[in-house]
Amino acid sequence: MTQAPSVAAGKAFSRAQTDDPVNRETHDFYPTWPAATRALLTVERFDGAIWEPACGDGAMSTVLADAGYSVISTDLIDRGFGEPDRDFLMEWAPRAPNIVTNPPFRWAMQFIDRALMLTTGKVVMFLRLAFLEGVERGAWFPGTPLARVYVMSRRVPMGRGKIAGEAEGHGVIAFAWFVWDHAHSGPPALFFLDWKSA
């Protein structure tokens, strides 16, 4: 029997809110919807090159390069794009003044800490909005130069292991762009960003 759309959507939403090791994509590979990256570029500019250290199949790197930025693309896994076999958490040499990526969520804090150590400009991460939650992160955030959070006011389609198709509808998880800026001091500012209108 086919489930009613509202029931199926409710189950998908429920799965998205909990850790689901059976259905979770290996290495947390959920390519970023290109329009979400294009929306970021309407509100943020970068001085110098950008390193995308979890480039996957190039979904984000391609948008950044199309906007005129010099992009260095690396990844732990070979997905046919960029330089493979590069474990970002083991990197010690800076490769660009800025880092923009959609990191594996389970290692997001480690990615951010490493990125802040390796950059002099901006560190921008596409993360679940729920990244703002948690006692550990609540104690950690004030020690970082988090400057801006852009909440995606329209849910972003995210495909498991591939770019989501238009026919797959909107995503079920709230996402945001988190921007750390080495030149920033003080509390972060909150904004709302609609990938469709941007």
Side-chain angles (χ1 to χ4, degrees):
M1 176 186 285
T2 303
Q3 292 180 336
S6 59
V7 173
K11 288 186 176 182
F13 178 79
S14 178
R15 280 194 308 273
Q17 307 312 308
T18 58
D19 192 21
D20 186 358
V22 173
N23 292 305
R24 191 170 190 162
E25 173 64 23
T26 305
H27 301 288
D28 279 358
F29 179 48
Y30 296 87
T32 308
W33 185 247
T37 305
R38 287 194 291 270
L40 170 71
L41 295 177
T42 67
V43 292
E44 290 290 332
R45 296 286 179 266
F46 300 90
D47 290 327
I50 298 172
W51 182 3
E52 214 294 37
C55 70
D57 60 5
M60 188 180 291
S61 293
T62 301
V63 174
L64 295 170
D66 287 348
Y69 290 104
S70 174
V71 183
I72 298 160
S73 302
T74 63
D75 205 313
L76 177 64
I77 309 300
D78 186 354
R79 301 189 192 277
F81 188 93
E83 183 184 345
D85 305 315
R86 300 299 305 215
D87 183 348
F88 181 65
L89 298 181
M90 299 300 291
E91 296 278 4
W92 289 98
R95 299 187 73 168
N98 307 288
I99 286 178
V100 180
T101 194
N102 172 359
F105 191 77
R106 71 185 84 183
W107 297 303
M109 279 181 66
Q110 293 93 323
F111 257 69
I112 296 159
D113 282 337
R114 182 58 52 116
L116 288 170
M117 183 185 77
L118 293 171
T119 56
T120 55
K122 294 178 183 178
V123 170
V124 182
M125 301 277 170
F126 190 64
L127 299 164
R128 297 177 194 171
L129 185 57
F131 189 72
L132 288 170
E133 300 175 332
V135 174
E136 182 184 3
R137 287 192 289 268
W140 168 82
F141 273 121
T144 72
L146 181 63
R148 292 169 290 284
V149 177
Y150 297 97
V151 178
M152 302 306 287
S153 54
R154 187 187 308 262
R155 293 287 169 91
V156 178
M158 297 292 282
R160 184 175 181 266
K162 63 180 179 61
I163 290 287
E166 285 282 3
E168 294 178 65
H170 298 294
V172 296
I173 301 174
F175 280 89
W177 285 106
F178 290 70
V179 179
W180 285 265
D181 188 337
H182 285 283
H184 175 77
S185 63
L190 179 66
F191 302 93
F192 296 89
L193 190 57
D194 182 348
W195 60 262
K196 206 162 197 175
S197 63

